[in-house]
Amino acid sequence: MMTMIGITLKGIFRDRVFQGIMVTACAFLLIPVIASLSMRQVTELSVTLSLSLISFILLLLSVFLGGTSLWKDIDRRYTFSVLGLPLSRQSYLLGRFCGTALFVMLSAAVLGAAAFAVVCYSSAIYPADRPIIWSTMALCILFDALKYILLIAVAFLLSTVSTSFFLPVFGTIAMFFAGGVAQQVHEYILSPASESISPVVRQIANGLYYLLPNFEAFDLKVNAIYGLPLPTGGLLLTLGYFFVYVTFLLSVSTAIFSRRELR
Amino acid sequence: MKTASTALICIVIYSFLMVPFTTYLHKKPFVEKLGYVPSVTALKIVSADHKELVAASLVLKVLMYFGGQVEKPESQIHIPPDYMAMSRMLHGAVKLDPYNMDAYYFAQSFLTWDVKQYKMANDLLAYGMKYRTWDWYLPFLAGFNHAYFLKDYGKAAEYYKRAGELSGSDLSRLLAGRYMQESGQTDLAIAYLSAMEKGERNPSVKKNFRLRMTAFQEVRRIEVARERYLAERGVAPPSLDVLVRDGMLVPPPKDPYGGEFYIGSDGRVSTTSKFAFAGAGRDTTSKESK
């Protein structure tokens, strides 16, 4: 499996994805200029823009790397030659997943360093009213990366049942939006405002809430931007949720992939 | 060779064309518009985990629009700012990110002075205070609204006390004390505007505060002359012209908004512009009736 992780990472670097990220990361240079347009919260706006840029790049990575990785191998018949070697389908899939997840973590670390530099620069020029809590910002980036690793697991699951890239790519994008609003919809269903909705629809919405990945828990941007305290218990629960959900998705993916007829 | 020379010719023609082309675009008449923004519910779904970014971009959009309105370049077709659209957009921004200070601060500045929607401004500030519990600015602004615009001195003192506790600032405590009694309104407005102007970074908003402060300083000058006339002659001055003619008001007061100052029948100093460019020259009837 370690070999597969190495091959995946090498493949991503060979496709010049990292160079692409670095070019996109040039947008960090514009952040202090845009943030200076703010009236009262220049540093806060720098943090907002930096975190959003990281999140956007990681989203692109998870959708396109996660959604095309398996499908590309099957389409190019690469899987025939690899699976002919003494390597189980499970190790192949998990290796691919871990390699992609590792690359997302690496990108988050590099982009995070750039974000820290930008915020440092902005706060030196326009001192912030609120203290910048660097550890909160680091945790925000870490949890963002975890969220996109979870999304990659979703993309891998969709890849195992798909014969083209449409389902993994567009299905992952749809899942990203659905997972982002799942909490809001659930709260609306619980509120008195939803009394007019039929019980069947409410039951379906409730069922989907527990079935779909909940990305709201991974979003710590408000805490990082405004220096709000982090709930330790909540973070531990989110970590537990992440590990259980990813393990579940990967076990279903490997089960489907092991039974899949590759032609 | 042929294609290379064609490309070269195109580049040369393009370079020559760009100068008049950009000059034309620079002078082309335009109308500063805020444009359409979808409902907050839709924005919440589409913005996914970028709610803070979308909120900040809405605020910046309003700021750019307002900046364009204040600067008024020659080629701009001027129409009064669409304050209600600005308000809608800023309300949407705080629904997406209830911590965004720029939105509260800017909405407060035009909802009170320009649109006179004091309740809407205070409701927005109260909403912000639920989230920005550490921020002294929001109760400071709410205190000013209650005292200056709504004449609710008890509530104003309450807010200023809260602002003073949060900031440890002497200004807030001073204002809290002074608002307990109805006096020195113009001085307080000048003190408030001066504090706001000093802390402001955005050039358009800063210019707006400075302009309003200049107008209030002129009002204060007229009030001082009015008091002097009353002390010397024992009667209130019949009009502002009398103060100018008797040398009590040198140089004559000038409204930076383009209006004309006058002393009303109740003795209060007002201006035909109502402290807004849009109001300049439109309130002559009220002046004449006074």
Side-chain angles (χ1 to χ4, degrees), chain A residues 89 160 251-262:
Chain A
R89 286 191 181 193
T160 55
S251 54
V252 175
S253 303
T254 45
I256 296 172
F257 192 63
S258 303
R259 284 165 185 76
R260 182 167 173 169
E261 200 176 320
L262 295 169

Side-chain angles (χ1 to χ4, degrees), chain B residues 42-87:
Chain B
L43 277 178
K44 268 187 180 171
I45 295 168
V46 177
S47 56
D49 61 340
H50 297 273
K51 289 183 192 70
E52 297 81 11
L53 175 75
V54 177
S57 66
L58 287 180
V59 177
L60 287 181
K61 194 176 165 72
V62 176
L63 269 178
M64 299 270 188
Y65 166 77
F66 185 73
Q69 292 280 344
V70 170
E71 297 306 327
K72 279 186 270 177
E74 285 170 17
S75 47
Q76 185 178 353
I77 298 165
H78 184 63
I79 50 167
D82 187 353
Y83 287 117
M84 281 303 114
M86 285 164 67
S87 167

Side-chain angles (χ1 to χ4, degrees), chain B residues 101-138:
Chain B
M101 182 54 191
D102 281 348
Y104 295 115
Y105 175 71
F106 190 49
Q108 144 74 20
S109 74
F110 72 80
L111 281 178
T112 50
W113 292 102
D114 299 292
V115 196
K116 313 213 182 308
Q117 293 287 335
Y118 311 122
K119 193 183 175 309
M120 194 188 275
N122 286 337
D123 287 348
L124 190 69
L125 293 173
Y127 176 75
M129 277 182 243
K130 282 195 285 185
Y131 294 92
R132 295 181 66 91
T133 48
W134 65 87
D135 195 346
W136 63 272
Y137 241 108
L138 298 177

Side-chain angles (χ1 to χ4, degrees), chain B residues 135-146:
Chain B
D135 195 346
W136 63 272
Y137 241 108
L138 298 177
F140 173 78
L141 298 172
F144 181 78
N145 290 350
H146 277 95

Side-chain angles (χ1 to χ4, degrees), chain A residues 9-197:
Chain A
L9 275 176
K10 270 185 203 163
I12 293 171
F13 277 101
R14 197 181 50 234
D15 288 344
R16 297 204 170 84
V17 177
F18 195 74
Q19 285 91 324
I21 294 172
M22 288 299 105
V23 171
T24 320
C26 288
F28 272 113
L29 298 173
L30 295 174
I31 288 177
V33 182
I34 300 169
S36 68
L37 296 173
S38 168
M39 293 188 293
R40 295 269 158 183
Q41 44 176 31
V42 175
T43 306
E44 285 91 335
L45 189 55
S46 287
V47 181
T48 307
L49 294 172
S50 304
L51 294 179
S52 279
L53 182 59
I54 294 177
S55 189
F56 181 67
I57 294 174
L58 295 185
L59 171 68
L60 291 182
L61 283 180
S62 49
V63 168
F64 291 105
L65 290 182
T68 59
S69 181
L70 269 190
W71 168 80
K72 208 164 64 180
D73 286 354
I74 298 168
D75 193 56
R76 288 180 185 170
R77 298 173 185 277
Y78 177 71
T79 39
F80 289 113
S81 47
V82 174
L83 294 176
L85 299 168
L87 177 78
S88 69
R89 286 191 181 193
Q90 183 184 356
S91 303
Y92 166 78
L93 188 130
L94 291 180
R96 273 278 186 236
F97 172 78
C98 291
T100 316
L102 206 62
F103 183 74
V104 165
M105 275 296 199
L106 181 77
S107 306
V110 173
L111 295 170
F116 274 53
V118 164
V119 175
C120 250
Y121 176 74
S122 288
S123 62
I125 298 175
Y126 309 105
D129 289 339
R130 292 289 290 166
I132 304 163
I133 305 172
W134 298 104
S135 57
T136 308
M137 209 172 135
L139 274 173
C140 172
I141 296 168
L142 172 71
F143 273 77
D144 226 23
L146 292 181
K147 175 174 74 183
Y148 290 113
I149 290 171
L150 176 57
L151 195 64
I152 290 170
V154 173
F156 267 66
L157 174 66
L158 295 175
S159 297
T160 55
V161 292
S162 167
T163 50
S164 77
F165 75 93
F166 281 100
L167 180 65
V169 170
F170 294 107
T172 309
I173 294 172
M175 201 63 94
F176 171 72
F177 283 109
V181 293
Q183 188 63 37
Q184 281 177 47
V185 173
H186 182 64
E187 274 161 24
Y188 177 73
I189 292 291
L190 292 181
S191 72
S194 69
E195 274 170 10
S196 56
I197 297 174

Side-chain angles (χ1 to χ4, degrees), chain B residues 214-215 217-223 225 240-241 243-245 248-256 259-263 269-270:
Chain B
T214 310
Q217 280 164 345
E218 288 293 85
V219 170
R220 186 71 196 120
R221 218 157 57 80
I222 300 168
E223 283 174 351
L240 200 134
D241 296 337
L243 294 174
V244 177
R245 200 184 54 218
M248 290 184 180
L249 206 52
V250 181
K254 196 180 164 198
D255 180 2
E260 268 183 66
F261 286 110
Y262 62 91
I263 301 173
V269 178
S270 305

